[in-house]
Amino acid sequence: MLSVFLILKVSIIIELISATTPWFEAYRESFLQSMPASDHEFINHYVACMLVVSSSEPDPVEQFLKLSQEQHRIQHSNEYSYPKWFIPNTLKYYVLLHDVSAGEEQRADSIYEEMKQRYGTQGCYLLKINSRGSNRGADEQIPDPWSQYLQKSSIQVQESCEDGLHTVISNKNTDHFIPLDGLGNDSKDGLSNNFKTHPLQLDHTSDSGCFDGTDYLKSNASLHESKKTNTGTPHGMCLTLTDHDRIRQFIQEFTFRGLLPHIEKTIRQLNDQLISRKGLSRSLFSATKKWFSGSKVPEKSINELKSTSGLLYPPEAPELQIRKMADLCFLVQHYELAYSCYHTAKKDFLNDQAMLYAAGALEMAAVSAFLQPGAPRPYPAHYMDTAIQTYRDICKNMMLAERCVLLSAEILKSQSKYSEAAALLIRLTTEQSAWMGMDSDLRSALLLEQAAYCFINMKSPMVRKFAFHMILAGHRYSKAGQKKHALRCYCQAMQVYKGKGWSLAEDHINFTIGRQSFTLRQLENAVSAFRHILINDSKQTAAQQGAFLREYLYVYKNVSQLSPDGPLPQLPLPCINSSATRVFFGHDRRPAEGEKQAATHISLDQEYDSEFSQQWKDLEEQVVAASNKSAVSNFQPTQYCLNRYSDNSRFPLGVVEEPITVEVAFRNPLKVPLLLTDLSLLWKFKPKDFSSNNNGESKELMTCGKDMIGAEVISEFLINSEETKMARLKLFPHQTGELHILGVVYNLGTIQGTTVLDGIDSSVGFQTGKYIPNGTSVRGRQDLEIQGPRLNNTKEEKTSTKYGPDRRLDPIIAEEMPLLEVFFINFPTGLLCGEIRKTYVEFMNVSKCPLTGLKVASKRPECFTFGGSSTILTPLSPSTSEHSSAYKTVLKHSTSVCSLMSSASSVDFGAGTGSETEVIDVPLPDSVLLPGASVQLPMWIRGPDEEGVHEIHFLFYYESIKKHSKMSHRVLRHTAVICTSRSLTVRATAYRSNALEDEKGEGDNMLVFVDVENINTSEAGVKEFHIVQVSSNSKNWKLQESINLSEDKDIKLANREKGKLCLKSVRCKHLLDDYTFADIIFGNEQIISSTSPCADFFFRSLPSEFRRTQTQQSMNTSQGTVKQSLDNAVRLIQKCSEVDLNIIVLWKAYVIEDNKQLILEGQHHVVLHTVGKEAFLRTKAGIME
């Protein structure tokens, strides 16, 4: 026997715009549908009852009788408080359901005839269904008549289970749980008004409690299967299109012939009762405002009214009859009459101070006024405000207050009054928290989210208020266990706060996003959120930053455990300034050992100077040109240290077995120290063979691991709070090929005691292993991505943004090359102007390849010399020459001051007209330095003629005996600093003297007057100067003797003393290509001026003079033939007065240092060009006065 007892529930249908989010719509719909029926309003009371019996019953008429009696018992007995009925005489509609495929149609028709005689034609109906047999094929496509009613409810229930929607909340003051809508489950009172699912949704009869959170732990697999079953199971498969039409006709018959006449009849009866009780004389459908108007009574404010929420009217009370009429008019959409009834009932309720009834009338009056077609009157928002305040403060019913807020908010939003709607929603969340301690986090989250959408939908959107309330909603979602909704709200708020400079707000949002993502196992999103906290310039305290860092490390470690064999991800800390990365090729500089000082060369400790860099480039280009006997096209200098200022457009060259040092600039933006452990470089290497026997083709080699590249690992590297610190990491290439340095890899952690090391240099006083890690450390990497210089050469490059390559991290490893180390022994740092000091230079080949072609280039060749080609390499060591003279001397045999002559060629000293004096060959034994061998060579240093501090740049050039395709030569740099102080100033003048004759009685002689002045300030401790010798150098003239005007032959010059020498000069008899040196000695030893170092320094002080003379000669020869005769005459006159005579003044100075007397030696040069014209001591800066 199939017997179905259905109760028709009439719900509110309000034509409002849809909410912003579907989950809020679902909540609002569920909330309104779950509202229980109450005694002060009748909108949820039942007005009709449908009794359905199958035609297959043995006695359907008897079943109808039983169902009718059962309904009467439920309605009129006191055993059931639910459901509630609109009027005592409830409409009963009898439906005989006939299955065409199984029953007899004649029997059904006969039963229906009997029903019509018993219940009347308008009170019963015969519904025939299932005209299509179940065994027929599915070739005919018949729509599912129930899909539009079942699908929405099914999806809502399933999604609520999948997302873990908690429909219960914890009461803070009690230990029990209450439902989301604040109502208990009154199942003991009979049939409930609140259908969680549609009655036809039979698949969910067993798990409908999922909405209430009772089945929260249901597995995802079962949910998926349930959803698949619900959405795929068709309904009404046995119904034909004719059956569909019958069902529609049945609903239409029931509505127009049963329900609506019953409602109209009820309204007439209520109207008649009101007329009889209140003297109303107007008809129902012709009623006007005066019909329900009464004497005006002054309305009291809510604050003045007493708490009469417990007042109850009897069912026959006229006030309730007016309310019933209003609700019936509202249900049939007669909103104007409904508003009049509600307005009248409101006055009566207020007069009786029945505040619960008055609030209900105010609420429905406001809704009726809004729903009236054509909007004859404005929406009375104050009615809703009064109703909300009454429900909340007097009636203490927050559920009814919430219903008012939901309705009023939707009405205000439909009128674009978003600000008022947002205020209502926000006020409800705060009031719920304060009312009896009952607060629903989920409800508050939904309302705050809707308030946020109201702010963003305003005509002038209030973006910051939107973001703020989204954060509040996310917080309440999180408390309610809705992690996905919480994450979504925070992400939307982050779009507003991001990049606005609100760092604290950004940190809070990112931290919460990270935690929520981690809870939802969205580990990549969690890592990204925590990463943003750490890389931004945070204003958080050190303790808070430490907490953020620990949280990040914990999350990151969980991510790395998911794929332990996967690639290392990027770490956010510490920050790396990639453009500041420097790369150095070669070994570190050796420290000084006693009197032995290593060449300065290049190191990472030196600051980059573009001017010095250009000087070194010019020197190298000059020495390469001298080595190749011609200029080199497309010259590229050797680069040992690459930085942001160097030319990084080409691939740098490294050498096998020589380290490559990469300096990485780390910056710790946090206020807590960071500890990096196992720090090393990340690289990629492609082996290639660059040997010359491969004809320039690269041959790939098969090897891997440490056999190719060795990497240095720094076990611990501490970066203090807000500190920028450089880390120098090394790679050791063992094979030729192409190396690519990708980045750094390390373990990131922190140490215990975050404030101990603040402000302390971590490089002082801390040793490896002293730091105690604090908590978790994670391993990761950071890439070194360097952007090249912006291109600005072509028009296209100027009009667009293009960057060139930066290849400083992509070196090519070339074959093994010789490696030279240079040490300077007893190199002076302070000299007198013109002083000559003998020192030694040690050359050491520390590689496995012999070197050759050793040269040195300098912009100051006049300041040093290794001696001429005939120099004897004595003494053998610096210690044996400690007290010897810097010059080559011989004892004087005669007591006269006549000159002693010798000759020398300028070619022997590198001063020939065809050579470049800035490039000097270093006289190595056999011109080769074998692997591991070393040699010490003497070098003489002469103090520059200018007073002050001087830098002398030495560029040592050398080659490998074996030629290489990638690297042809190597260089070594050294910068020596010499401080010079004043010594002597020299002036000379030559005069013709035919009175003086030579030894053969011939004339054509000259007198040379030499003025010497001691201008030393005694700061260097110089006691006095002695002029020990005056020498001449010329191809045409020579000094013959000294004409002494006094008997004292020793010329001593104390401070500020002057001396004058008169010397006789005669013409050389034979013109030779060699220079004639004549020495006039004033002491006991003769300094051989034609040998090193005297001749070296003399010749190297002359290149500018030679070039000046050659330039003048070339200019003279380039004149035209028109003025040739005149030029020859002028040239003849000038030649008569020209003198090619060079004067060398050699001196000794006595210095007292540490109570010891030292003897210093030196020389000055004066060049005489013209007879009768005074010549001065020339310097690079000009003429020394």
Side-chain angles (χ1 to χ4, degrees):
M1 180 180 73
L2 176 62
S3 176
V4 181
F5 175 73
L6 296 179
I7 301 176
L8 181 63
K9 175 185 176 183
V10 181
S11 61
I12 303 177
I13 303 174
I14 304 177
E15 300 175 0
L16 299 175
I17 63 172
S18 61
T20 308
T21 56
W23 45 90
F24 178 76
E25 285 186 340
Y27 167 77
R28 186 188 64 220
E29 182 178 351
S30 299
F31 177 82
L32 295 178
Q33 288 182 354
S34 63
M35 289 291 296
S38 59
D39 295 331
H40 76 284
E41 60 183 6
F42 306 95
I43 202 74
N44 277 352
H45 290 202
Y46 293 103
V47 296
C49 179
M50 186 179 295
L51 308 179
V52 182
V53 175
S54 174
S55 61
S56 60
E57 288 288 333
D59 191 356
V61 177
E62 183 180 358
Q63 292 296 329
F64 278 123
L65 180 61
K66 292 181 179 179
L67 290 177
S68 177
Q69 293 175 354
E70 179 69 15
Q71 187 275 333
H72 185 272
R73 186 179 66 84
I74 292 174
Q75 179 177 355
H76 296 283
S77 67
N78 296 326
E79 299 179 7
Y80 302 96
S81 59
Y82 291 99
K84 294 185 179 295
W85 306 91
F86 204 95
I87 56 176
N89 187 18
T90 302
L91 170 67
K92 297 183 181 68
Y93 197 77
Y94 301 89
V95 179
L96 180 64
L97 189 64
H98 175 65
D99 190 342
V100 177
S101 61
E104 298 179 2
E105 189 170 353
Q106 292 181 356
R107 182 174 180 272
D109 292 337
S110 62
I111 296 173
Y112 179 58
E113 291 295 332
E114 184 180 355
M115 291 172 58
K116 288 193 291 183
Q117 294 177 3
R118 181 183 292 268
Y119 305 116
T121 306
Q122 298 180 352
C124 60
Y125 193 83
L126 173 61
L127 178 61
K128 300 179 180 180
I129 59 173
N130 295 347
S131 300
R132 181 182 182 186
S134 59
N135 57 352
R136 295 182 60 182
D139 53 345
E140 188 178 359
Q141 298 294 333
I142 302 298
D144 187 349
W146 315 118
S147 60
Q148 56 180 330
Y149 307 104
L150 298 179
Q151 184 177 6
K152 185 175 181 181
S153 175
S154 172
I155 291 177
Q156 288 177 1
V157 173
Q158 291 168 8
E159 287 183 349
S160 65
C161 295
E162 291 177 1
D163 294 339
L165 286 170
H166 294 74
T167 57
V168 293
I169 60 172
S170 175
N171 190 341
K172 297 180 180 179
N173 299 329
T174 60
D175 296 330
H176 62 276
F177 290 90
I178 60 175
L180 176 65
D181 52 12
L183 299 175
N185 186 9
D186 297 330
S187 57
K188 64 180 181 179
D189 293 334
L191 296 175
S192 172
N193 271 355
N194 309 326
F195 290 122
K196 300 291 183 181
T197 58
H198 195 279
L200 295 183
Q201 188 63 42
L202 301 179
D203 296 331
H204 285 281
T205 55
S206 61
D207 59 345
S208 60
C210 179
F211 187 81
D212 292 329
T214 57
D215 196 18
Y216 175 69
L217 299 178
K218 186 176 182 180
S219 64
N220 291 334
S222 61
L223 285 172
H224 179 73
E225 292 297 329
S226 176
K227 182 176 180 179
K228 182 177 179 181
T229 303
N230 294 331
T231 56
T233 302
H235 303 86
M237 295 298 294
C238 296
L239 300 178
T240 63
L241 294 178
T242 304
D243 293 335
H244 292 184
D245 294 337
R246 289 171 180 170
I247 294 174
R248 294 189 188 96
Q249 185 178 2
F250 158 66
I251 297 298
Q252 186 175 1
E253 287 287 329
F254 166 71
T255 303
F256 290 101
R257 301 184 62 181
L259 181 61
L260 289 181
H262 174 72
I263 292 176
E264 183 179 359
K265 178 181 177 182
T266 303
I267 293 175
R268 291 181 182 277
Q269 291 176 355
L270 292 173
N271 182 40
D272 294 340
Q273 293 178 11
L274 292 175
I275 291 175
S276 63
R277 294 185 181 184
K278 285 200 168 188
L280 299 178
S281 59
R282 299 285 183 102
S283 170
L284 171 67
F285 298 103
S286 62
T288 62
K289 280 187 177 181
K290 191 176 180 180
W291 181 33
F292 290 111
S293 64
S295 59
K296 287 193 175 181
V297 179
E299 296 184 2
K300 301 180 181 179
S301 64
I302 296 298
N303 296 327
E304 296 175 353
L305 294 174
K306 298 180 181 179
S307 178
T308 56
S309 59
L311 177 64
L312 295 178
Y313 287 100
E316 303 82 11
E319 292 83 1
L320 291 187
Q321 306 308 316
I322 298 177
R323 176 60 196 256
K324 286 184 179 181
M325 271 189 59
D327 288 342
L328 285 176
C329 294
F330 184 88
L331 291 176
V332 295
Q333 299 183 12
H334 202 319
Y335 299 120
E336 184 175 359
L337 184 57
Y339 173 79
S340 299
C341 294
Y342 285 131
H343 193 271
T344 302
K346 179 257 302 184
K347 292 181 180 181
D348 294 339
F349 293 141
L350 288 177
N351 289 335
D352 296 338
Q353 296 188 6
M355 301 312 299
L356 178 64
Y357 296 89
L362 285 170
E363 176 186 4
M364 296 307 298
V367 176
S368 300
F370 169 73
L371 293 177
Q372 288 183 29
R377 56 176 59 86
Y379 168 64
H382 61 284
Y383 279 13
M384 277 292 190
D385 294 338
T386 304
I388 294 171
Q389 189 176 0
T390 304
Y391 283 140
R392 181 194 66 214
D393 298 336
I394 299 178
C395 303
K396 306 298 182 183
N397 194 324
M398 287 303 298
M399 185 177 62
L400 295 177
E402 181 180 355
R403 183 182 69 180
C404 286
V405 169
L406 293 178
L407 295 175
S408 181
E410 295 300 328
I411 293 173
L412 292 172
K413 286 194 290 185
S414 69
Q415 297 177 345
S416 299
K417 296 179 180 180
Y418 292 102
S419 179
E420 292 84 347
L424 273 178
L425 296 169
I426 295 171
R427 188 171 61 188
L428 181 62
T429 60
T430 58
E431 291 167 352
Q432 281 180 341
S433 302
W435 183 70
M436 296 179 61
M438 186 182 72
D439 182 19
S440 169
D441 290 313
L442 181 58
R443 179 193 296 114
S444 298
L446 289 167
L447 298 179
L448 287 170
E449 184 181 14
Q450 286 304 302
Y453 282 113
C454 289
F455 288 123
I456 202 66
N457 286 321
M458 293 175 63
K459 186 175 182 181
S460 298
M462 305 179 74
V463 181
R464 286 181 292 184
K465 280 195 173 183
F466 161 77
F468 178 73
H469 286 86
M470 288 299 287
I471 292 175
L472 295 179
H475 174 68
R476 302 303 288 269
Y477 272 131
S478 179
K479 290 178 64 178
Q482 297 297 319
K483 306 300 181 183
K484 289 184 180 180
H485 284 297
L487 179 60
R488 176 185 51 79
C489 290
Y490 277 100
C491 290
Q492 290 183 353
M494 189 62 195
Q495 298 176 2
V496 177
Y497 285 104
K498 186 176 182 180
K500 300 298 189 300
W502 293 24
S503 59
L504 296 179
E506 282 191 60
D507 291 346
H508 168 74
I509 296 172
N510 277 316
F511 182 75
T512 308
I513 290 175
R515 280 199 164 181
Q516 297 293 349
S517 299
F518 179 75
T519 305
L520 295 171
R521 307 308 296 170
Q522 300 177 9
L523 300 182
E524 295 296 333
N525 294 338
V527 171
S528 177
F530 284 114
R531 178 186 178 91
H532 282 88
I533 300 178
L534 299 176
I535 62 177
N536 292 335
D537 293 333
S538 175
K539 297 180 181 179
Q540 301 283 358
T541 61
Q544 188 65 44
Q545 289 183 355
F548 287 162
L549 179 59
R550 289 191 297 272
E551 194 87 12
Y552 168 77
L553 295 178
Y554 176 76
V555 173
Y556 182 86
K557 191 169 185 178
N558 282 269
V559 174
S560 60
Q561 290 176 352
L562 296 178
S563 56
D565 299 330
L568 290 175
Q570 298 285 334
L571 289 176
L573 292 175
C575 301
I576 295 181
N577 185 3
S578 297
S579 62
T581 302
R582 297 194 296 173
V583 184
F584 177 72
F585 298 90
H587 294 278
D588 295 333
R589 176 194 172 197
R590 290 191 181 185
E593 300 177 0
E595 298 297 331
K596 182 184 289 188
Q597 178 187 1
T600 56
H601 195 46
I602 307 172
S603 69
L604 291 173
D605 297 326
Q606 300 172 358
E607 295 293 334
Y608 178 81
D609 191 308
S610 59
E611 183 179 354
F612 281 176
S613 178
Q614 185 62 37
Q615 291 180 10
W616 290 116
K617 179 181 178 182
D618 296 340
L619 281 176
E620 184 176 357
E621 185 175 9
Q622 198 168 2
V623 71
V624 170
S627 178
N628 295 331
K629 309 300 182 183
S630 63
V632 179
S633 59
N634 299 326
F635 168 76
Q636 296 293 342
T638 304
Q639 291 181 311
Y640 285 101
C641 186
L642 302 178
N643 50 45
R644 69 175 73 184
Y645 306 108
S646 57
D647 181 12
N648 304 321
S649 59
R650 59 190 179 95
F651 294 98
L653 295 177
V655 179
V656 171
E657 304 300 338
E658 293 188 14
I660 300 174
T661 305
V662 179
E663 183 183 78
V664 183
F666 289 103
R667 182 178 66 87
N668 180 10
L670 303 182
K671 299 175 183 177
V672 294
L674 298 177
L675 180 62
L676 311 184
T677 57
D678 297 336
L679 173 62
S680 62
L681 288 173
L682 195 63
W683 51 268
K684 182 175 67 175
F685 184 74
K686 183 178 181 181
K688 285 189 176 182
D689 187 3
F690 299 115
S691 59
S692 58
N693 54 8
N694 288 332
N695 297 325
E697 297 181 358
S698 62
K699 177 183 177 182
E700 295 193 8
L701 305 176
M702 297 305 295
T703 184
C704 62
K706 297 181 180 179
D707 295 336
M708 295 185 297
I709 303 293
E712 179 189 29
V713 179
I714 299 178
S715 59
E716 291 182 345
F717 185 78
L718 180 69
I719 311 175
N720 285 326
S721 60
E722 298 179 339
E723 179 189 17
T724 299
K725 190 175 181 181
M726 306 296 177
R728 295 179 181 176
L729 304 167
K730 292 183 179 180
L731 294 178
F732 301 91
H734 303 305
Q735 289 189 3
T736 59
E738 298 175 356
L739 176 63
H740 303 279
I741 302 173
L742 306 178
V744 291
V745 57
Y746 54 91
N747 296 325
L748 174 63
T750 184
I751 64 173
Q752 293 182 0
T754 57
T755 60
V756 176
L757 301 176
D758 289 350
I760 301 177
D761 187 1
S762 60
S763 63
V764 179
F766 297 102
Q767 299 177 355
T768 302
K770 185 173 181 180
Y771 310 119
I772 302 176
N774 184 15
T776 308
S777 65
V778 295
R779 188 159 186 82
R781 60 182 286 182
Q782 282 203 62
D783 294 336
L784 295 174
E785 299 176 351
I786 304 177
Q787 187 181 65
R790 181 175 178 179
L791 302 178
N792 198 27
N793 297 325
T794 64
K795 182 178 180 181
E796 181 182 0
E797 293 173 351
K798 292 179 180 180
T799 55
S800 60
T801 303
K802 292 185 177 181
Y803 295 90
D806 191 305
R807 298 190 172 99
R808 75 181 89 166
L809 297 178
D810 302 319
I812 295 176
I813 309 302
E815 295 177 277
E816 194 170 10
M817 287 285 290
L819 182 62
L820 177 68
E821 288 191 358
V822 179
F823 300 93
F824 295 85
I825 304 172
N826 297 325
F827 194 90
T829 57
L831 294 173
L832 295 174
C833 292
E835 179 188 351
I836 293 176
R837 189 82 58 89
K838 187 177 183 180
T839 183
Y840 282 81
V841 182
E842 182 179 0
F843 299 93
M844 181 181 297
N845 184 0
V846 296
S847 68
K848 299 179 181 180
C849 302
L851 64 85
T852 186
L854 180 59
K855 296 178 176 59
V856 60
S858 177
K859 293 291 185 181
R860 302 294 296 270
E862 73 279 2
C863 295
F864 70 95
T865 179
F866 287 96
S869 59
S870 60
T871 303
I872 301 175
L873 300 179
T874 56
L876 298 178
S877 65
S879 60
T880 60
S881 63
E882 183 177 355
H883 302 291
S884 62
S885 173
Y887 294 101
K888 181 180 180 181
T889 60
V890 295
L891 292 176
K892 178 182 177 184
H893 298 289
S894 62
T895 58
S896 66
V897 290
C898 296
S899 65
L900 300 175
M901 290 183 297
S902 60
S903 63
S905 173
S906 61
V907 179
D908 297 335
F909 303 95
T913 56
S915 66
E916 182 57 65
T917 59
E918 294 183 353
V919 179
I920 302 169
D921 291 328
V922 178
L924 287 178
D926 301 328
S927 299
V928 176
L929 191 59
L930 298 177
S934 64
V935 61
Q936 290 184 353
L937 300 179
M939 183 174 71
W940 289 268
I941 304 295
R942 180 178 182 271
D945 292 325
E946 306 91 358
E947 178 189 11
V949 180
H950 305 273
E951 287 187 348
I952 303 176
H953 300 304
F954 299 90
L955 182 70
F956 296 96
Y957 167 96
Y958 57 98
E959 302 173 352
S960 176
I961 294 180
K962 180 182 177 182
K963 301 299 181 183
H964 298 293
S965 59
K966 292 294 182 182
M967 188 178 293
S968 61
H969 68 276
R970 305 191 80 175
V971 294
L972 177 67
R973 302 176 184 178
H974 176 67
T975 300
V977 180
I978 298 178
C979 181
T980 58
S981 56
R982 295 182 181 183
S983 57
L984 299 176
T985 179
V986 181
R987 300 167 184 247
T989 309
Y991 297 97
R992 296 284 185 183
S993 177
N994 294 325
L996 294 177
E997 298 179 351
D998 57 10
E999 60 273 9
K1000 295 184 180 181
E1002 299 178 356
D1004 197 14
N1005 300 323
M1006 290 190 303
L1007 285 178
V1008 178
F1009 294 94
V1010 179
D1011 297 319
V1012 183
E1013 181 184 359
N1014 179 3
I1015 59 174
N1016 184 263
T1017 57
S1018 300
E1019 295 176 357
V1022 178
K1023 186 177 181 181
E1024 59 183 4
F1025 285 89
H1026 289 239
I1027 307 300
V1028 297
Q1029 181 174 311
V1030 177
S1031 300
S1032 66
N1033 174 288
S1034 178
K1035 292 183 178 181
N1036 302 319
W1037 297 89
K1038 64 181 179 179
L1039 293 178
Q1040 188 179 41
E1041 60 181 349
S1042 172
I1043 303 175
N1044 261 337
L1045 302 180
S1046 63
E1047 296 180 358
D1048 187 8
K1049 295 186 174 61
D1050 189 6
I1051 304 176
K1052 300 178 182 179
L1053 298 175
N1055 188 22
R1056 289 300 177 181
E1057 285 188 349
K1058 295 182 180 180
K1060 192 174 186 68
L1061 300 176
C1062 182
L1063 307 173
K1064 179 182 177 181
S1065 175
V1066 298
R1067 188 180 291 275
C1068 297
K1069 299 302 181 182
H1070 302 286
L1071 297 178
L1072 302 174
D1073 292 336
D1074 294 343
Y1075 285 84
T1076 300
F1077 287 83
D1079 303 329
I1080 298 179
I1081 305 164
F1082 297 99
N1084 298 325
E1085 291 181 339
Q1086 177 191 359
I1087 298 174
I1088 303 176
S1089 59
S1090 60
T1091 61
S1092 296
C1094 183
D1096 295 80
F1097 291 119
F1098 165 71
F1099 281 116
R1100 289 178 185 176
S1101 64
L1102 298 181
S1104 60
E1105 300 295 333
F1106 285 152
R1107 285 193 291 269
R1108 184 177 62 83
T1109 305
Q1110 293 172 0
T1111 302
Q1112 289 179 352
Q1113 292 176 357
S1114 63
M1115 290 176 60
N1116 292 333
T1117 56
S1118 64
Q1119 299 296 327
T1121 56
V1122 178
K1123 297 182 179 180
Q1124 186 174 3
S1125 58
L1126 180 59
D1127 292 341
N1128 289 338
V1130 174
R1131 179 60 185 161
L1132 182 60
I1133 297 173
Q1134 292 178 349
K1135 192 173 183 180
C1136 293
S1137 60
E1138 285 182 356
V1139 178
D1140 181 16
L1141 180 61
N1142 306 303
I1143 303 299
I1144 304 173
V1145 178
L1146 295 98
W1147 49 264
K1148 289 184 179 181
Y1150 295 88
V1151 180
I1152 298 177
E1153 183 177 329
D1154 297 334
N1155 297 325
K1156 295 181 181 179
Q1157 181 171 320
L1158 302 179
I1159 301 176
L1160 308 180
E1161 300 172 302
Q1163 65 187 53
H1164 285 90
H1165 314 122
V1166 178
V1167 180
L1168 291 169
H1169 291 290
T1170 307
V1171 175
K1173 185 176 181 180
E1174 187 177 24
F1176 302 91
L1177 178 63
R1178 286 188 173 271
T1179 65
K1180 280 186 173 291
I1183 300 175
M1184 179 180 288
E1185 293 293 340

